[in-house]
Amino acid sequence: MDESKPKDECAQVTYNFKCSECGMNEETHYKGVSPPFSRKIQLKYPSYVMKDPFSPPGKGEILILGADCAICGKAVCISKQCSIFYLKTYCLKCVQNSMDKFPAEVTNKVKKS
Ligand SMILES: [Zn+2]
Ligand SMILES: [Zn+2]
């Protein structure tokens, strides 16, 4: 078999996403709000997006891996251990440093861990 490197896959620009909390390292295909490979989807906030590897080509299914923290700008994954989504994405460190800026429903989740 000689099809290990399809041309369209080679030409793909990838962005390295590394979660600043857990260190998860993935290649993502897009960072922003409207992934070019999925015209239907418009995200509310810039996120690191990869094509869903299990979705048939042309379907445009996507996976969101994470986003930049709205305070410190570090990339964090969407895991509950790493970030909290409250209007925007925040890393847990920033939430812990600014507990007074967040409602109890948010800070309670952080305190538990
Ligand atoms: Zn993480
Ligand atoms: Zn942060």
Side-chain angles (χ1 to χ4, degrees), residues 30-101:
Y30 178 74
K31 185 197 172 189
V33 292
S34 50
F37 40 87
S38 180
R39 288 185 205 123
K40 284 179 290 182
I41 296 174
Q42 184 81 26
L43 303 167
K44 281 183 183 159
Y45 298 99
S47 305
Y48 294 92
V49 177
M50 71 186 287
K51 293 177 186 174
D52 185 345
F54 303 109
S55 147
K59 261 271 190 177
E61 299 292 328
I62 60 165
L63 295 175
I64 295 173
L65 292 188
D68 289 335
C69 169
I71 296 178
C72 68
K74 285 182 186 164
V76 279
C77 72
I78 55 168
S79 155
K80 285 187 182 116
Q81 270 85 54
C82 299
S83 68
I84 274 192
F85 188 82
Y86 170 67
L87 304 178
K88 292 177 179 179
T89 300
Y90 299 92
C91 73
L92 290 194
K93 283 196 187 103
C94 287
V95 177
Q96 281 161 349
N97 289 338
S98 341
M99 287 286 201
D100 50 321
K101 291 186 187 150

